[in-house]
Amino acid sequence: MSEISYASRVRGCLLGGALGDALGAPLEFLGLEEIRERFGKGGLRDLERAYGRVGAITDDTQMTLFTAEGLIRAWVRGDARGVCDPAAIVHHAYLRWLHTQGDPWREIAGAPGEEEPDGWLVQERWLHARRAPGRTCLGALRGARGLGTPARNDSKGCGGVMRVAPVGLLPHTGTGGEREIEEIFRLGVETAALTHGHVTGQLPAGVLAAAIFAIVREGRPLGPALDAATGLLRAWPHHGETLRALERARALAARGGVTAERLESLGGGGIAEEALAIADPGPEALWEALVLAANHSGDSDSTAAIAGNLLGALHGEGALPAGALAELEGRGAIARLADDFAAEMEGTRPRHGTSSSVAQVDDGTPLAEPVPPAAGLEAWWERYPGW
């Protein structure tokens, strides 16, 4: 198999997660028997209508995109200022997501002092739809004491792990001192902790971020990548719940012949360790894995989104089905954000008058203003302000 480029893996991760999210969205509140009554014995196998359209994404993808944007802005700040706190800057990104959910910017506690949220992503109107946002995320962000401060709750819901995949696409966290994969695990945990106060709501995010990093940056196959991430998990206090969930998932996968009924023995996916476990046992064939991860009585969009993030990073953009991509809501903006992420992390972003193309939607409307020729770093900073 030919070498898969970093840019292809980033696109695969973000678009693959969005496809899983869109596949699971019509199933989120259905039991397995109801799914089969509606879609047949094999369950749902293609994108169907949810939230008024085929291919609709949910809050899972919305927050994942703001995670990616926040990380770009953190790296821009680190390059320009020499220092940054990634968790704090991602926290600021989540406040912009909170604004898209209807909260007036000036009333958001902890929001910086600008009149309106800045950057291009928050201006994308399709992201302003409410798609069953998690109450824990909304409440924690509304009650934030300051950027980068962990949430004051005891939630171990899946809202931390379902949005953390971009952390695993980083080259490193920029803090130095530890092995890079350990830094990635730690930043995954810190990112989840912004909204989820229970350690079991945080550690699965570290596992997912570290597994994606092991695939993308260390070149490991899926199994060894998950093994490496699980090894890091064992070093953290209070890891028992997360470890037991992952061990059950790996044992189920090892037996083969995973069915929806067997998958449901791992839980419903509403809490973090279950969501990660359900996303794990599927086949490496991307679409089949998404179908398996979506068709169960639980948090179908989150579990399929996590599977899509993981396998999209493994196989790259080329493994994503073109027909499903054509129906995916916001695909142009997601691809553009992925390309910008790769450019920032690979050091190929505009620096000396480099211009960039503009992704298009079906009606030809630009999704964001292009970086004008000869604008260089100033235009990039306007697009991704470093805070």
Side-chain angles (χ1 to χ4, degrees), residues 95-140:
L95 296 184
R96 292 190 295 279
W97 170 78
L98 180 62
H99 174 65
T100 70
Q101 301 303 290
D103 284 42
W105 184 248
R106 296 181 184 181
E107 297 178 13
I108 294 176
E114 66 264 24
E115 291 291 315
E116 295 291 338
D118 54 15
W120 72 276
L121 189 64
V122 72
Q123 308 303 323
E124 294 294 312
R125 298 311 304 174
W126 62 279
L127 286 173
H128 287 244
R130 283 180 67 95
R131 302 286 172 76
R135 287 176 292 180
T136 294
C137 290
L138 293 173

Side-chain angles (χ1 to χ4, degrees), residues 1-10 216 312-319:
M1 184 175 63
S2 62
E3 185 72 17
I4 301 172
S5 71
Y6 173 69
S8 176
R9 292 186 189 275
V10 175
V216 174
L314 178 70
H315 296 300
E317 181 187 17

